[in-house]
């Protein structure tokens, strides 16, 4: 036990002696010998032992890990001293340590890269590596890193490195060499804010590249890239504007404002560009504010300024030369737009006079008007053309408009020109409506009687009647064909009685119908949906009211339908009345004149309608036929006409037994047929009473 203690004590004593000797030697030869540093990689050649074939790196604490021994510190030792130290440490466990050889295979740097880098942490880089290589080993800087404030911390010392200047110039004189255990810290730019967000360099630089507000220049307004920019005393106001991307096309370059130390200065960039005098450039200091206003915020005036307004592509104020023409100025403003009313261009003179110019007529060769001259201070106004969707009518003066009202597809107020005609303005209103009455077109002109024109005749090809000439301010009235009065009782007052035909009685739709003397009796009857089922077609009446004396025409419409004879139909005129009675509404007098009385021994005696197609047998059949006691050998027929009544006796029995060669007696409307009974001997007395009755009735009728 004591022997081992003495052996360990001798080993540590020798180690201490070696360290003291190494320290003294290092102090003497520090400038000529290479010292071990953290990050270096050592190799040990000792008796081909497998445990010594692996490399031995020096960690951050300056130690290497030896087999069977553990960690020993070699940082700061020379290669020879480190070799002696390793031999001493291994001699207590291994024999023949004199053959051990220690060598440095690679010298590396262990540094920490922290801050705004992609992969912060410890990096192992070559011994001659630079700051850029250390940053690259850490994955490079993140977008938003502050390049001019990179820190290198070495113990208690902190160095601020302007890495941006190095990247701009490539001059590495201001960048120190790295040493093991250095800490590189990359701060973030103040522009990144307090919240971590994802962004790219373009979005970050859109707000400028300044890091400190006190050493920056704020540029905003009509520039392409407004923001806060780092102040550079070698740059003037033009350089600062270029860093902001230059001015936009809306910038008012004559009114640029620069505020330095609370002292506002007005800068005219246009004047500088025209003259190139650098003395007119104001000084820009740190903390200055530069504002470029919009050109619309100013009023352009000048001795050669002309104003172009209205429906042109680029309205505004333009500086012109003395020889500039009207068309050159208008073309410089982009020309009229598709909404421009080129017929009413106005030139407003500086003295208040207004001149009109019809550009469309001039371009079509229809006008001999002289091209107006435009001088400084004048204004060219191109008005907006009338739009059918535009509700305002104030854009067209009354003398340049025509009104279209009535049965038009789109009535309204339309712009008018002298070369337009009636058909042009009707087409502009999208044509007549389907219920338009073109035969009575009315044109109303101020202080004149209306002009009535038959446009229907003109459309059908009768050009003998020329179209009327229109002028501004006229009103075109297109009347409507009246609708069915029966369907709208309140509309009957809109149709004149002198232009109507009245249809009454048993028709589908009775009412008042428009009549133009071109329709026939059947046309009017068809318009009323024809006779109904209860109509008496044999007793149709037509009352003519427009003649000097009221006339009545009776129409047998049933006979017309049976024969097709057109002569049976009456000729109608406006104002006539058509009446079709019903079968159940025939009065007694009409019944008497159109019927036959059947009396005597019959099953159903009474009044029966009779027409020219019927005979005696038809009449007896309708009355139910004779009874069993009827005396058919002496049928008596009383004829009642304009003269004295007469009686015809007829033997129906003999006719029925042998009808050949015998004729039935004639029966007319108004006659009386009597069949006596076989036991009736008072027929003569009865017939005497009947004659007396009809004689008295005839006398009364004549007296009335």
């Amino acid at each position: 036990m004591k022997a081992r203690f003495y052996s360990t004590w001798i080993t540590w004593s020798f180690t201490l002696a070696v360290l003291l000797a190494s320290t003294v030697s290092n102090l003497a030869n520090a400038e000529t010998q290479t010292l071990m540093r953290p990050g270096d990689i050592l190799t040990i050649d000792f008796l081909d032992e497998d445990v010594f074939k692996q490399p031995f790196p020096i960690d951050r604490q300056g130690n290497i890990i030896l087999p069977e021994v553990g960690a020993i510190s070699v940082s700061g030792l020379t290669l020879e001293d480190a070799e002696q130290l390793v031999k001493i440490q291994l001699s207590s466990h291994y024999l023949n340590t004199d053959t051990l050889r220690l060598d440095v295979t690679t010298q590396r740097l262990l540094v920490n890269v922290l801050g705004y880098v992609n992969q912060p942490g410890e990096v192992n880089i070559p011994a001659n590596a630079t700051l850029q290589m250390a940053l690259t080993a850490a994955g490079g800087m993140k977008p938003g890193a502050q390049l001019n404030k990179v820190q290198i911390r070495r113990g208690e010392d902190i160095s601020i490195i302007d890495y941006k200047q190095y990247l701009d110039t490539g001059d590495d004189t201001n960048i120190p060499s790295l040493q093991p255990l250095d800490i590189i810290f990359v701060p973030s730019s103040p522009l990144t804010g307090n919240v971590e967000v994802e962004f790219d360099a373009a979005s970050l630089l859109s707000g400028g590249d300044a890091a400190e507000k006190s050493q920056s220049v704020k540029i905003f307004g009509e520039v392409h890239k407004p923001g806060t920019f780092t102040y550079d005393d070698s740059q003037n106001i033009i350089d600062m504007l270029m860093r902001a991307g230059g001015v936009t096309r809306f910038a008012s370059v004559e009114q640029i404002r620069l505020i330095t130390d609370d002292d506002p200065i007005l800068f005219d960039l246009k004047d500088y560009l025209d003259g190139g005098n650098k003395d007119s450039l104001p000084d820009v200091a740190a903390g200055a504010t530069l504002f470029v206003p919009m050109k619309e915020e100013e009023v352009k005036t000048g001795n050669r300024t002309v104003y172009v307004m209205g429906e042109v592509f680029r309205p505004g104020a333009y500086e012109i030369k003395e020889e500039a023409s009207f068309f050159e100025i208008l073309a410089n403003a982009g020309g009229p737009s598709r909404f421009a009313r080129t017929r009413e261009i106005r030139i407003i003179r500086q003295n208040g006079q207004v001149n009109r110019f019809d550009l469309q007529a001039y371009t079509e060769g229809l006008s001999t008007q002289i091209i107006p001259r435009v001088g400084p201070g004048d204004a060219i106004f191109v008005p907006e053309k009338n739009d059918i969707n535009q509700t305002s009518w104030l854009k067209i003066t009354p003398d340049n408009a025509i009104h279209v009202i009535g049965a038009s597809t789109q009535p309204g107020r339309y712009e008018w020109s002298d070369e337009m005609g009636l058909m042009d303005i009707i087409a502009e209103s999208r044509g007549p409506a389907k219920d338009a009455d073109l035969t009575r077109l009315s044109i109303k002109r101020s202080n004149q009687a209306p002009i009535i024109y038959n446009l229907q005749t003109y459309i059908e090809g009768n050009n003998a009647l020329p179209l009327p000439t229109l002028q501004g301010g006229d009103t075109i009235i297109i009347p409507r064909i009246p609708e069915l009065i029966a369907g709208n009782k309140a509309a009957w007052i809109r149709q004149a009685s002198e232009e109507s035909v009245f249809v009454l009685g048993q028709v589908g739709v009775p009412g008042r119908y428009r009549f133009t003397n071109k329709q026939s009796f059947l046309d009017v009857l068809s318009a009323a949906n024809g006779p109904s089922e209860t109509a008496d077609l044999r007793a149709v009446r037509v009352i003519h009211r427009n003649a000097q004396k009221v006339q009545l025409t009776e129409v047998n419409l049933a006979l017309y339908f049976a024969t097709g004879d057109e002569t049976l139909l009456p000729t109608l005129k406006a104002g006539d009345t058509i009446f079709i009675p019903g079968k159940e509404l025939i009065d007694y007098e009409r019944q008497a004149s159109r019927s036959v009385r059947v009396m005597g021994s019959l099953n159903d005696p009474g009044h029966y309608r009779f027409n020219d197609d019927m005979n005696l047998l038809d009449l007896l059949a309708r009355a139910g036929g004779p009874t069993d006691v009827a005396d058919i050998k002496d049928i008596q027929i009383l004829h009642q006409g304009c003269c004295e009544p007469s009686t015809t006796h007829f033997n129906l029995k003999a006719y029925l037994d042998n009808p050949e060669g015998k004729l039935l007696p004639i029966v007319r409307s108004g006659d009386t047929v009597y069949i006596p009974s076989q036991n009736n001997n008072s027929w003569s007395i009865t017939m005497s009473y009947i004659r007396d009755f009809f004689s008295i009735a005839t006398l009364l009728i004549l007296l009335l």
Side-chain angles (χ1 to χ4, degrees):
M1 188 71 179
K2 291 183 179 180
R4 186 175 180 180
F5 171 76
Y6 287 128
S7 176
T8 303
W9 181 81
I10 293 172
T11 300
W12 279 108
S13 299
F14 180 76
T15 301
L16 181 60
V18 171
L19 290 177
L20 291 175
S22 175
T23 302
V24 175
S25 177
N26 288 341
L27 293 176
N29 303 318
E31 296 180 358
T32 60
Q33 295 183 356
T34 302
L35 303 180
M36 301 291 101
R37 301 185 305 179
D40 290 349
I41 298 177
L42 308 179
T43 58
I44 299 176
D45 185 11
F46 181 58
L47 299 177
D48 269 345
E49 291 287 343
D50 292 336
V51 293
F52 293 102
K53 290 182 179 180
Q54 61 182 356
F56 295 90
I58 303 177
D59 59 15
R60 293 183 57 85
Q61 286 74 30
N63 299 329
I64 61 174
I65 307 299
L66 293 177
E68 303 293 339
V69 175
I72 64 171
S73 177
V74 297
S75 178
L77 300 179
T78 63
L79 182 60
E80 292 79 5
D81 295 339
E83 182 178 332
Q84 293 298 323
L85 180 59
V86 171
K87 290 179 179 180
I88 295 173
Q89 293 295 329
L90 292 177
S91 62
S92 59
H93 300 280
Y94 294 94
L95 300 176
N96 299 322
T97 56
D98 293 339
T99 62
L100 184 143
R101 293 291 178 267
L102 182 67
D103 193 10
V104 179
T105 58
T106 305
Q107 284 193 317
R108 308 283 292 179
L109 287 177
L110 285 179
V111 295
N112 276 334
V113 183
L114 307 177
Y116 224 60
V117 292
N118 289 311
Q119 298 174 2
E122 185 178 80
V123 296
N124 191 330
I125 57 178
N128 59 347
T130 62
L131 174 63
Q132 184 173 6
M133 296 174 66
L135 294 175
T136 303
M141 297 183 181
K142 287 184 177 180
Q146 190 171 350
L147 303 183
N148 63 338
K149 297 291 186 179
V150 177
Q151 300 178 14
I152 297 180
R153 300 177 182 178
R154 188 172 297 156
E156 299 295 331
D157 297 333
I158 299 176
S159 301
I160 305 299
I161 308 301
D162 191 348
Y163 189 64
K164 176 66 168 57
Q165 185 179 10
Y166 163 73
L167 294 177
D168 291 339
T169 62
D171 184 9
D172 58 355
T173 56
N174 294 328
I175 297 180
S177 299
L178 297 179
Q179 294 184 9
L181 305 183
D182 282 352
I183 298 176
I184 302 173
F185 179 75
V186 180
S188 64
S189 172
L191 297 178
T192 58
N194 297 326
V195 180
E196 176 69 19
V197 294
E198 293 184 2
F199 53 85
D200 54 11
S203 61
L204 182 62
L205 291 177
S206 62
D209 59 358
E212 298 180 3
K213 295 183 179 180
S214 60
Q215 296 295 320
S216 63
V217 175
K218 293 179 285 293
I219 305 176
F220 63 100
E222 287 301 320
V223 292
H224 288 285
K225 297 178 181 178
T228 304
F229 299 88
T230 303
Y231 170 71
D232 188 347
D233 56 1
S234 64
Q235 295 181 344
N236 55 29
I237 188 172
I238 304 297
D239 298 325
M240 298 304 298
L241 289 175
M242 293 304 297
R243 291 180 64 182
V247 297
T248 67
R249 64 188 183 93
F250 303 106
S252 175
V253 294
E254 299 94 345
Q255 302 290 330
I256 297 177
R257 298 173 176 85
L258 174 65
I259 302 175
T260 305
D261 297 331
D262 299 331
D263 183 17
I265 300 174
L266 195 63
F267 173 59
D268 190 347
L269 178 60
K270 184 176 182 298
D271 181 66
Y272 168 74
L273 296 176
D274 291 340
N277 184 11
K278 292 187 177 181
D279 295 335
S280 62
L281 296 176
D283 296 331
V284 181
T289 300
L290 191 61
F291 173 67
V292 181
M294 292 181 65
K295 63 181 178 182
E296 285 81 4
E297 297 177 358
E298 59 175 325
V299 178
K300 285 188 177 181
T301 58
N303 296 329
R304 305 301 304 171
T305 303
V306 170
Y307 308 95
V308 184
M309 303 175 293
E311 286 300 325
V312 293
F313 285 98
R314 293 187 297 273
Y318 293 89
E319 293 185 5
I320 64 170
K321 296 181 180 180
E322 187 174 356
E323 62 274 12
S325 65
F326 170 80
F327 287 106
E328 291 173 341
I329 298 172
L330 197 61
N332 198 33
S337 67
R338 65 188 182 95
F339 303 105
R341 183 150 51 103
T342 55
R343 289 185 173 274
E344 293 290 333
I345 295 179
R346 300 163 195 167
I347 295 92
I348 306 171
R349 306 294 180 185
Q350 193 172 12
N351 57 6
Q353 182 183 359
V354 179
N355 301 121
R356 296 176 180 267
F357 181 64
D358 190 342
L359 179 61
Q360 181 174 341
Y362 181 84
T363 56
E364 295 175 356
L366 303 176
S367 174
T368 58
Q369 188 176 2
I370 300 175
I371 300 175
R373 291 192 58 83
V374 181
D378 294 347
I380 300 174
F381 175 66
V382 182
E384 180 185 3
K385 69 179 179 182
N386 186 42
D387 188 359
I388 60 175
N389 296 322
Q390 180 60 257
T391 57
S392 176
W393 57 272
L394 298 175
K395 295 185 178 182
I396 304 177
T397 56
D399 57 340
N400 288 323
I402 281 187
H403 309 82
V404 181
I405 59 178
S408 173
T409 302
Q410 187 167 333
R413 186 172 182 266
Y414 294 91
E415 186 178 4
W416 172 256
S417 181
D418 293 336
E419 61 265 23
M420 297 174 66
L422 176 62
M423 302 303 290
D424 295 324
I425 199 67
I426 291 179
E428 181 70 13
S429 64
R430 299 189 179 180
K434 62 181 180 179
D435 59 343
D437 184 6
L438 300 181
T439 61
R440 299 185 302 115
L441 194 71
S442 177
I443 301 173
K444 182 67 176 68
R445 188 168 296 164
S446 179
N447 300 325
Q448 294 186 19
I451 301 173
I452 306 299
Y453 182 74
N454 191 341
L455 185 61
Q456 184 66 38
T457 304
Y458 178 84
I459 294 175
E460 293 173 354
N462 186 5
N463 297 328
L465 189 61
L467 290 171
T469 303
L470 300 179
Q471 65 183 28
D474 287 353
T475 299
I476 301 174
I477 304 173
I478 304 177
R480 298 182 183 274
I481 297 176
E483 61 186 33
L484 182 62
I485 305 302
N488 186 0
K489 299 298 184 182
W492 68 271
I493 60 175
R494 293 185 291 182
Q495 182 174 321
S497 299
E498 295 79 7
E499 300 175 352
S500 306
V501 167
F502 303 85
V503 183
L504 307 175
Q506 299 301 313
V507 293
V509 184
R512 185 168 60 170
Y513 293 86
R514 180 170 174 78
F515 188 77
T516 61
N517 293 323
K518 293 184 179 180
Q519 292 82 21
S520 65
F521 176 83
L522 292 179
D523 292 331
V524 177
L525 199 60
S526 299
N529 287 353
S532 64
E533 295 180 355
T534 60
D536 185 6
L537 300 181
R538 297 182 180 274
V540 178
R541 305 172 191 172
V542 179
I543 304 171
H544 305 284
R545 300 168 51 204
N546 290 337
Q548 294 180 354
K549 184 178 180 180
V550 177
Q551 297 179 358
L552 177 65
T553 301
E554 294 187 358
V555 181
N556 190 341
L557 195 59
L559 184 59
Y560 167 75
F561 290 144
T563 63
D565 187 3
E566 295 285 344
T567 60
L568 296 175
L569 299 178
T571 300
L572 293 180
K573 293 184 179 180
D576 289 353
T577 300
I578 301 174
F579 175 70
I580 301 180
K583 295 178 181 179
E584 72 280 1
L585 299 179
I586 302 176
D587 54 26
Y588 177 80
E589 182 181 353
R590 190 74 178 177
Q591 178 75 16
S593 62
R594 296 291 183 183
S595 63
V596 173
R597 292 172 290 275
V598 183
M599 300 181 299
S601 298
L602 292 109
N603 291 314
D604 192 9
H607 271 91
Y608 289 97
R609 293 291 305 272
F610 188 82
N611 55 53
D612 297 338
D613 297 332
M614 298 175 63
N615 56 28
L616 177 61
L617 296 179
D618 296 327
L619 188 63
L620 294 178
R622 295 191 65 178
T627 62
D628 295 339
V629 297
D631 185 7
I632 61 175
K633 296 180 180 180
D634 187 20
I635 296 178
Q636 303 172 22
I637 303 171
L638 177 62
H639 303 288
Q640 177 66 32
C642 60
C643 301
E644 289 293 331
S646 61
T647 303
T648 300
H649 293 268
F650 178 66
N651 189 345
L652 180 60
K653 179 70 170 57
Y655 177 81
L656 294 176
D657 292 340
N658 186 17
E660 295 183 1
K662 296 182 181 181
L663 299 176
L664 290 171
I666 297 174
V667 180
R668 300 182 181 89
S669 298
D671 290 353
T672 301
V673 177
Y674 176 73
I675 301 178
S677 300
Q678 294 179 3
N679 56 356
N680 188 358
N681 297 323
S682 60
W683 167 246
S684 59
I685 299 175
T686 303
M687 294 304 297
S688 177
Y689 285 134
I690 292 173
R691 292 191 191 97
D692 294 340
F693 171 76
F694 281 105
S695 297
I696 295 172
T698 303
L699 180 62
L700 290 174
I701 292 173
L702 293 175
L703 291 176
L704 292 175

